[in-house]
Amino acid sequence: MNLFSLFITSFIVNNIIFSQFLGICPFLGVSKKIETAAGMGIAVIFVIVLSSIITYIVQAAILVPLGLEYLQTIVFILIIAALVQFVEMFLKKSSPGLYKALGIYLPLITTNCAVLGAVLINIQNEYNFIEALVNSIATPAGFLLAIVLFAGVREKVDTADVPVALKGSPIALIAAGLMSIAFLGFSGLQI
């Protein structure tokens, strides 16, 4: 598979939110404003790329040679948690404004199943390092696209005349479902 095709497939066709339904919690929880959604998306890009690089090396250099593949989920979760803690400490020291803006959302990346899902997809599809890197950039970029688009929709819906029974979460879930259906249109895309 060529790298461009892999990028488009991971970014749009198999979008982590709308096609694989991973990362729904931050998708629904952090998407009320475009600014916070974009901040969360950028943080997820950073964490997924770094965690994919580290887990790929750990998988190839330690787990596979020692026959410990059955430990990969536990090891990967520990790597992701440690990486998020490192990123949190780094931002707290180097960029207090960004750290404060992300607030509670930064530690929540540890529990974002999209991060673990992206790492496991790289292993399950037996991507080489370059393919894993492309997938690890495209997948969170798709997450960023989805969460920012959804935040824009939610901002518009908040100002719309919506029946009382649908205000809040119900209309957000309906909008998310409609966006997911729209992304299904890309499922037949051949590159």
Side-chain angles (χ1 to χ4, degrees):
M1 178 184 298
N2 80 33
L3 298 177
F4 180 73
S5 174
L6 176 61
F7 184 89
I8 295 299
T9 300
S10 298
F11 181 62
I12 296 176
V13 178
N14 292 331
N15 185 281
I16 196 89
I17 296 287
F18 295 131
S19 296
Q20 298 180 18
F21 305 111
L22 295 173
I24 299 296
C25 295
F27 174 72
L28 293 173
V30 187
S31 60
K32 292 183 180 176
K33 294 188 186 276
I34 291 176
E35 295 82 23
T36 56
M40 177 62 138
I42 291 168
V44 168
I45 289 173
F46 184 73
V47 170
I48 287 180
V49 170
L50 282 180
S51 64
S52 293
I53 291 169
I54 294 168
T55 55
Y56 185 90
I57 293 168
V58 168
Q59 175 78 7
I62 299 170
L63 297 179
V64 171
L66 297 176
L68 300 173
E69 293 94 341
Y70 61 92
L71 292 175
Q72 71 184 194
T73 302
I74 294 169
V75 171
F76 291 175
I77 289 171
L78 291 173
I79 290 170
I80 292 166
L83 183 60
V84 170
Q85 289 301 311
F86 173 74
V87 169
E88 186 175 5
M89 290 185 308
F90 178 77
L91 285 177
K92 191 173 187 178
K93 290 280 187 189
S94 66
S95 180
L98 180 58
Y99 175 78
K100 188 175 180 180
L102 288 174
I104 189 67
Y105 303 121
L106 189 58
L108 288 178
I109 294 173
T110 302
T111 60
N112 185 348
C113 60
V115 178
L116 181 61
V119 168
L120 291 175
I121 287 168
N122 289 338
I123 303 299
Q124 289 171 352
N125 290 339
E126 299 178 355
Y127 290 146
N128 63 37
F129 183 75
I130 299 299
E131 291 170 337
L133 188 60
V134 168
N135 185 58
S136 299
I137 293 168
T139 297
F143 179 88
L144 174 66
L145 173 71
I147 198 168
V148 168
L149 286 175
F150 189 59
V153 168
R154 285 185 79 173
E155 285 184 359
K156 291 291 184 188
V157 168
D158 284 345
T159 61
D161 185 26
V162 177
V164 176
L166 294 178
K167 284 194 183 279
S169 295
I171 195 68
L173 292 172
I174 291 169
L178 291 172
M179 289 180 74
S180 182
I181 290 170
F183 267 71
L184 277 177
F186 296 114
S187 63
L189 187 64
Q190 298 291 327
I191 298 175

